[in-house]
Amino acid sequence: MEIVFICLLVFCTIFTFDVLHVRLQKYLLYRHRKGFEQHETYFRSIISSNIRYFNKVDLDIQHKWLFRAYLFYRSKKFHYVGVEKTDEMPILISATAAQLTLGLENFSLNYFRDIYVLQHDYHYGYYSLPFMGHVDASGIYLSWDNFLQGIRSAQDSSNVGLHEMAHALAYVNFITKTDEDKHFKKEFHQYSKVARPVYQDMQRGRKTILGDYAATNYHEFWAVSVEVFFENPVKLRHELPELYYAMADLLRQDPYQILVNSLAA
């Protein structure tokens, strides 16, 4: 009888905790939405003025993008190293994270509490070449000059913001496993079935739209693929169609179709 009572007590405790947790999450979401309503116009003005892709998606996706950028912005601590902080910096950085994860359920990259913004290229560790950005256990690092060039330039396929957020997304799913997205983890294996042969061919000397840096290692191949997927979807779809569609399935986004729709509108 005592065992039955203990089991019942444990069950009731777990049930009560689950109910309270769900209610707390709903309450927090309500509070976040109320806070977002006060900032939506401001976020929209900054993001729409700087990120071309934002203006090509429909209004529902824009709203989702803005809300997720706001949540990301609220959940991170931004540090400014040798650069003067401006209001647009954390908003645009948050927007690139939201852009990458628009099609995913889990988007907060919650292992990373700290984001470091530097002015220019910088040296890291024992590497001789300067970095535009990197991700490690201590946080996400970005050089602001290169970040701005990436989101504003239509002349190349480079976007350091998307590049580093792609590293961070892989990090929380496969290394720390703190913010795993079931769809992303499942589809990444399918993506790799297409991507690995392309990467191996590039290591043997094949030239592709991804550029030589993508052949450095598979982590960089993934991050560069993300940059080109969003920055030059037409050429990527034409040159490496299987890779393009694998990424579209993985990220649940289709930049090529969005571009076509925007031109037809």
Side-chain angles (χ1 to χ4, degrees), residues 10-30:
V10 170
F11 173 79
C12 290
T13 301
I14 294 174
F15 177 77
T16 302
F17 175 81
D18 287 343
V19 170
L20 291 176
H21 178 71
V22 170
R23 289 185 177 180
L24 177 61
Q25 292 301 110
K26 287 183 178 179
Y27 173 73
L28 291 175
L29 183 60
Y30 168 78

Short mmCIF file of all heavy atoms in Angstrom, two decimals, residues 10-30:
data_model
loop_
_atom_site.label_atom_id
_atom_site.label_comp_id
_atom_site.label_asym_id
_atom_site.label_seq_id
_atom_site.Cartn_x
_atom_site.Cartn_y
_atom_site.Cartn_z
N VAL A 10 4.34 10.44 -6.80
CA VAL A 10 5.29 10.79 -7.85
C VAL A 10 4.56 11.17 -9.13
O VAL A 10 4.90 12.17 -9.79
CB VAL A 10 6.27 9.62 -8.12
CG1 VAL A 10 7.10 9.90 -9.37
CG2 VAL A 10 7.17 9.40 -6.93
N PHE A 11 3.55 10.39 -9.48
CA PHE A 11 2.77 10.66 -10.69
C PHE A 11 2.10 12.03 -10.60
O PHE A 11 2.14 12.84 -11.56
CB PHE A 11 1.71 9.58 -10.90
CG PHE A 11 0.75 9.88 -12.02
CD1 PHE A 11 1.12 9.66 -13.34
CD2 PHE A 11 -0.51 10.40 -11.75
CE1 PHE A 11 0.24 9.95 -14.37
CE2 PHE A 11 -1.39 10.69 -12.77
CZ PHE A 11 -1.01 10.46 -14.08
N CYS A 12 1.50 12.33 -9.44
CA CYS A 12 0.82 13.61 -9.27
C CYS A 12 1.80 14.78 -9.33
O CYS A 12 1.49 15.84 -9.90
CB CYS A 12 0.07 13.62 -7.94
SG CYS A 12 -1.36 12.53 -7.89
N THR A 13 2.99 14.55 -8.76
CA THR A 13 4.01 15.60 -8.78
C THR A 13 4.45 15.90 -10.21
O THR A 13 4.56 17.06 -10.62
CB THR A 13 5.23 15.18 -7.94
OG1 THR A 13 4.81 14.93 -6.59
CG2 THR A 13 6.30 16.27 -7.95
N ILE A 14 4.70 14.83 -10.97
CA ILE A 14 5.12 14.99 -12.36
C ILE A 14 4.03 15.66 -13.18
O ILE A 14 4.29 16.58 -13.97
CB ILE A 14 5.51 13.63 -12.98
CG1 ILE A 14 6.75 13.07 -12.28
CG2 ILE A 14 5.74 13.77 -14.48
CD1 ILE A 14 7.10 11.67 -12.72
N PHE A 15 2.80 15.22 -12.98
CA PHE A 15 1.67 15.79 -13.72
C PHE A 15 1.50 17.28 -13.41
O PHE A 15 1.32 18.11 -14.31
CB PHE A 15 0.38 15.03 -13.38
CG PHE A 15 -0.85 15.58 -14.04
CD1 PHE A 15 -1.11 15.33 -15.38
CD2 PHE A 15 -1.74 16.38 -13.33
CE1 PHE A 15 -2.23 15.85 -16.00
CE2 PHE A 15 -2.86 16.91 -13.94
CZ PHE A 15 -3.11 16.64 -15.28
N THR A 16 1.58 17.60 -12.11
CA THR A 16 1.45 19.00 -11.69
C THR A 16 2.57 19.85 -12.28
O THR A 16 2.33 20.98 -12.76
CB THR A 16 1.47 19.11 -10.16
OG1 THR A 16 0.42 18.32 -9.61
CG2 THR A 16 1.31 20.57 -9.71
N PHE A 17 3.80 19.31 -12.27
CA PHE A 17 4.93 20.04 -12.83
C PHE A 17 4.73 20.30 -14.32
O PHE A 17 4.98 21.41 -14.80
CB PHE A 17 6.23 19.26 -12.62
CG PHE A 17 7.42 19.89 -13.26
CD1 PHE A 17 8.09 20.94 -12.65
CD2 PHE A 17 7.87 19.43 -14.51
CE1 PHE A 17 9.19 21.54 -13.26
CE2 PHE A 17 8.98 20.03 -15.12
CZ PHE A 17 9.62 21.08 -14.49
N ASP A 18 4.27 19.28 -15.05
CA ASP A 18 4.05 19.44 -16.49
C ASP A 18 3.00 20.49 -16.78
O ASP A 18 3.16 21.33 -17.68
CB ASP A 18 3.62 18.10 -17.11
CG ASP A 18 4.77 17.10 -17.20
OD1 ASP A 18 5.92 17.54 -17.10
OD2 ASP A 18 4.51 15.90 -17.37
N VAL A 19 1.91 20.47 -15.99
CA VAL A 19 0.84 21.45 -16.19
C VAL A 19 1.35 22.86 -15.90
O VAL A 19 1.11 23.80 -16.68
CB VAL A 19 -0.36 21.13 -15.28
CG1 VAL A 19 -1.37 22.28 -15.30
CG2 VAL A 19 -1.03 19.83 -15.71
N LEU A 20 2.06 23.00 -14.79
CA LEU A 20 2.59 24.32 -14.44
C LEU A 20 3.63 24.80 -15.45
O LEU A 20 3.68 25.99 -15.77
CB LEU A 20 3.22 24.27 -13.04
CG LEU A 20 2.23 24.09 -11.88
CD1 LEU A 20 2.99 23.95 -10.56
CD2 LEU A 20 1.25 25.26 -11.81
N HIS A 21 4.43 23.86 -15.97
CA HIS A 21 5.45 24.22 -16.96
C HIS A 21 4.80 24.74 -18.24
O HIS A 21 5.23 25.76 -18.80
CB HIS A 21 6.34 23.02 -17.26
CG HIS A 21 7.39 23.29 -18.29
ND1 HIS A 21 8.48 24.09 -18.04
CD2 HIS A 21 7.50 22.89 -19.60
CE1 HIS A 21 9.22 24.16 -19.12
NE2 HIS A 21 8.66 23.45 -20.07
N VAL A 22 3.76 24.04 -18.69
CA VAL A 22 3.05 24.46 -19.91
C VAL A 22 2.43 25.83 -19.71
O VAL A 22 2.52 26.71 -20.58
CB VAL A 22 1.97 23.42 -20.29
CG1 VAL A 22 1.08 23.98 -21.40
CG2 VAL A 22 2.62 22.12 -20.74
N ARG A 23 1.81 26.04 -18.55
CA ARG A 23 1.19 27.33 -18.28
C ARG A 23 2.23 28.44 -18.20
O ARG A 23 1.99 29.56 -18.66
CB ARG A 23 0.38 27.26 -16.98
CG ARG A 23 -0.89 26.42 -17.11
CD ARG A 23 -1.72 26.45 -15.85
NE ARG A 23 -2.96 25.69 -16.02
CZ ARG A 23 -3.87 25.55 -15.06
NH1 ARG A 23 -3.68 26.13 -13.88
NH2 ARG A 23 -4.97 24.85 -15.29
N LEU A 24 3.37 28.14 -17.59
CA LEU A 24 4.43 29.13 -17.50
C LEU A 24 4.95 29.50 -18.88
O LEU A 24 5.17 30.68 -19.17
CB LEU A 24 5.59 28.58 -16.64
CG LEU A 24 6.82 29.50 -16.52
CD1 LEU A 24 6.44 30.81 -15.86
CD2 LEU A 24 7.93 28.80 -15.73
N GLN A 25 5.13 28.49 -19.75
CA GLN A 25 5.60 28.75 -21.10
C GLN A 25 4.61 29.61 -21.88
O GLN A 25 5.00 30.51 -22.61
CB GLN A 25 5.85 27.43 -21.84
CG GLN A 25 7.02 26.61 -21.30
CD GLN A 25 8.32 27.39 -21.35
OE1 GLN A 25 8.87 27.79 -20.33
NE2 GLN A 25 8.83 27.61 -22.55
N LYS A 26 3.32 29.33 -21.70
CA LYS A 26 2.29 30.12 -22.38
C LYS A 26 2.30 31.56 -21.87
O LYS A 26 2.15 32.51 -22.64
CB LYS A 26 0.91 29.50 -22.17
CG LYS A 26 0.69 28.22 -22.96
CD LYS A 26 -0.72 27.69 -22.76
CE LYS A 26 -0.96 26.44 -23.60
NZ LYS A 26 -2.33 25.90 -23.39
N TYR A 27 2.49 31.71 -20.56
CA TYR A 27 2.53 33.05 -19.98
C TYR A 27 3.74 33.83 -20.49
O TYR A 27 3.62 35.00 -20.86
CB TYR A 27 2.58 32.96 -18.46
CG TYR A 27 2.80 34.30 -17.77
CD1 TYR A 27 1.79 35.25 -17.73
CD2 TYR A 27 4.03 34.60 -17.20
CE1 TYR A 27 2.00 36.48 -17.12
CE2 TYR A 27 4.25 35.83 -16.59
CZ TYR A 27 3.23 36.76 -16.54
OH TYR A 27 3.44 37.97 -15.95
N LEU A 28 4.90 33.16 -20.53
CA LEU A 28 6.11 33.82 -21.01
C LEU A 28 5.97 34.20 -22.49
O LEU A 28 6.42 35.28 -22.90
CB LEU A 28 7.32 32.91 -20.81
CG LEU A 28 7.75 32.69 -19.35
CD1 LEU A 28 8.89 31.67 -19.29
CD2 LEU A 28 8.17 33.99 -18.70
N LEU A 29 5.35 33.31 -23.27
CA LEU A 29 5.14 33.61 -24.69
C LEU A 29 4.22 34.82 -24.84
O LEU A 29 4.47 35.69 -25.68
CB LEU A 29 4.54 32.40 -25.40
CG LEU A 29 4.32 32.54 -26.91
CD1 LEU A 29 5.65 32.80 -27.62
CD2 LEU A 29 3.66 31.28 -27.48
N TYR A 30 3.19 34.88 -24.00
CA TYR A 30 2.28 36.03 -24.02
C TYR A 30 3.03 37.32 -23.70
O TYR A 30 2.88 38.34 -24.38
CB TYR A 30 1.15 35.81 -23.02
CG TYR A 30 0.31 37.05 -22.77
CD1 TYR A 30 -0.66 37.45 -23.68
CD2 TYR A 30 0.51 37.81 -21.61
CE1 TYR A 30 -1.42 38.58 -23.45
CE2 TYR A 30 -0.26 38.94 -21.38
CZ TYR A 30 -1.21 39.33 -22.30
OH TYR A 30 -1.96 40.45 -22.08
#
